[in-house]
Amino acid sequence: MTQTPPKVVRSDEEWKSVLTEEQYRVGVKDGTERAFTPGNYQDEKRDGDYHCVGCDTVLWQSDHKFESGTGWPSFFQPASEGVVDTKRDFKMIVPRTECHCAVCGLHQGHVFKDGPPPTGLRWCINGAVLNFVPRDEG
């Protein structure tokens, strides 16, 4: 069983000092980057891990990534159990399920029930709150 790292708690000012303006807007203020934003990892094809920019926890893996056509990187499951939490989001007319890093709380995106097997889920994630680390090729 994977153990979740200790919680990371930062004040608003601390977040502003460690994140870019866009990372802060998306991660702390529950924003959404525009679809097909260059560099958001939607087109990333290499094997590797996607780390949270707020605490460096591996939240997503290329093994679980798929092409959803939505303009955001999409995964059918998190990297391991307990690293991503969810809550209901009522900011739009239709309630959605928001997901965030279980370690530091940064908003990641939303999860929908229209993904591929084996889970049937589509975790639609903002690339602004990720750091991609490719796996060694040898």
Side-chain angles (χ1 to χ4, degrees):
M1 184 166 152
T2 304
Q3 235 182 351
T4 304
K7 297 279 185 195
V8 172
V9 179
R10 291 191 171 113
S11 69
D12 201 51
E13 287 308 309
E14 288 172 315
W15 279 123
K16 286 179 181 177
S17 74
V18 298
L19 300 176
T20 67
E21 212 173 288
E22 178 71 349
Q23 290 168 336
Y24 177 82
R25 184 186 71 76
V26 172
V28 177
K29 296 300 183 183
D30 300 338
T32 300
E33 68 191 2
R34 288 180 33 202
F36 301 102
T37 297
N40 78 348
Y41 303 119
Q42 187 229 212
D43 293 326
E44 180 60 64
K45 305 292 187 224
R46 295 175 292 171
D47 286 339
D49 299 319
Y50 296 83
H51 296 241
C52 175
V53 297
C55 63
D56 202 36
T57 301
V58 175
L59 300 180
W60 314 99
Q61 295 179 312
S62 58
D63 302 344
H64 306 146
K65 190 171 186 251
F66 69 96
E67 179 54 55
S68 66
T70 61
W72 292 277
S74 297
F75 304 85
F76 60 79
Q77 69 186 38
S80 58
E81 194 173 320
V83 295
V84 177
D85 283 336
T86 61
K87 68 179 181 182
R88 295 300 280 166
D89 172 355
F90 295 96
K91 295 177 189 112
M92 303 290 280
I93 294 171
V94 177
R96 301 177 297 173
T97 302
E98 175 193 328
C99 62
H100 54 276
C101 175
V103 176
C104 71
L106 281 189
H107 172 77
Q108 292 286 305
H110 292 86
V111 60
F112 303 95
K113 294 179 180 179
D114 61 359
T119 64
L121 299 175
R122 173 175 53 95
W123 298 81
C124 190
I125 306 302
N126 291 288
V129 292
L130 301 176
N131 281 324
F132 177 73
V133 178
R135 292 193 192 119
D136 292 333
E137 295 181 14

